[in-house]
Amino acid sequence: MKLQKLAKMLGETEDLLRSKLDAMAAKGLVFDFVRPDNGAIYYFLAPPVVGFFEMSMMSMRTDIDLKEVARALHEYMYESPTFSMGLFGGATNIGRALVHETALPEGDSTDILDYEKAAAIIAEARTGALALCYCRHKAEHLGHGCAHPKTNCMSLGTGADFIVRHGHGRKADKVELLEVLADSRERGLVQAVHAPPSSLHSKLLTAQLSVPVKSKLTLAALIAGGTLVMLV
């Protein structure tokens, strides 16, 4: 929703409301996107996954007890089925796993988003960013971290703008992003594609890249070996 419309609905001045929303965005509780053609700012509530769960662990924060947050997130996701059933039990799938071809045994299906397609998406991106891997950061605080790199959650386009603007990660050029993707491939890690709710009122990019991106608000996410890629 546009900042102007929100301010009118809530009876706040735009400047005051923007400061409040920016503070929420810095915590990963809301997302904001700036239209490059007219500068209009849109805000929407961050979903739990992919959303404020990941944002809470994508940077080294001092305002919260990260170990306690990691414990709580693990409990929500794995200790009780209530949250997971509420989140994943609906008719709409919010994600799917995609493995690169060289990681599959002979005879398995290879109808997936392969390394070449993922690399092409990065190569064509306007801008990019890197942040801490939410999953690995959380696992480290729970005492069962892995040996894989942690600073490998990547964002592209408008997603990268948001990540950098609110301190969830840092800007990274295409060379570095492609190196991260190549390293993930060498490690034999899993790739996945995530798409946001249809409330964005825009066509979504499919795993096979068969749907053209026509809206500047189109958003999708690609996981490559733990690498989060937000596309627009």
Side-chain angles (χ1 to χ4, degrees):
M1 186 178 293
K2 281 187 177 181
L3 175 64
Q4 294 87 340
K5 186 174 181 179
L6 277 171
K8 185 176 180 180
M9 288 175 58
L10 298 173
E12 298 265 15
T13 65
E14 290 183 20
D15 288 342
L16 178 60
L17 182 58
R18 182 170 183 174
S19 68
K20 292 180 179 180
L21 290 171
D22 283 346
M24 294 177 68
K27 296 178 180 179
L29 300 176
V30 300
F31 291 155
D32 65 357
F33 294 96
V34 181
R35 289 192 57 164
D37 56 344
N38 59 17
I41 304 173
Y42 292 81
Y43 292 90
F44 64 91
L45 286 174
V49 180
V50 175
F52 63 78
F53 267 39
E54 288 79 6
M55 293 295 174
S56 66
M57 301 294 289
M58 284 179 66
S59 58
M60 297 299 295
R61 298 173 58 175
T62 58
D63 59 323
I64 56 177
D65 184 340
L66 291 174
K67 186 173 183 178
E68 178 61 20
V69 172
R71 184 203 62 76
L73 292 177
H74 182 82
E75 184 175 334
Y76 266 107
M77 293 297 292
Y78 303 110
E79 299 297 330
S80 170
T82 305
F83 176 79
S84 296
M85 289 301 297
L87 185 64
F88 300 109
T92 302
N93 292 325
I94 67 171
R96 55 188 281 205
L98 299 170
V99 184
H100 63 72
E101 296 176 4
T102 56
L104 295 173
E106 255 185 73
D108 284 0
S109 171
T110 57
D111 185 19
I112 59 173
L113 180 63
D114 57 26
Y115 169 81
E116 287 73 19
K117 288 180 181 178
I121 293 172
I122 295 172
E124 295 174 2
R126 171 177 56 82
T127 186
L130 282 171
L132 285 177
C133 170
Y134 151 79
C135 304
R136 293 171 195 165
H137 189 194
K138 176 172 69 71
E140 183 180 53
H141 284 284
L142 294 172
H144 48 80
C146 67
H148 298 303
K150 288 191 292 293
T151 307
N152 72 330
C153 278
M154 77 174 66
S155 309
L156 303 178
T158 302
D161 293 338
F162 172 85
I163 292 294
V164 174
R165 183 164 59 247
H166 294 290
H168 297 296
R170 62 174 176 81
K171 191 171 183 179
D173 61 26
K174 294 178 184 179
V175 173
E176 185 176 9
L177 297 178
L178 288 170
E179 288 175 349
V180 169
L181 185 67
D183 181 68
S184 295
R185 183 190 193 191
E186 289 300 316
R187 293 170 182 272
L189 299 174
V190 174
Q191 297 173 336
V193 168
H194 295 269
S198 59
S199 58
L200 286 179
H201 302 294
S202 58
K203 292 185 179 295
L204 299 179
L205 190 67
T206 67
Q208 290 74 33
L209 307 183
S210 60
V211 178
V213 179
K214 296 182 178 180
S215 169
K216 291 184 175 65
L217 295 181
T218 298
L219 175 68
L222 162 70
I223 304 291
T227 305
L228 171 65
V229 183
M230 300 173 70
L231 310 168
V232 294

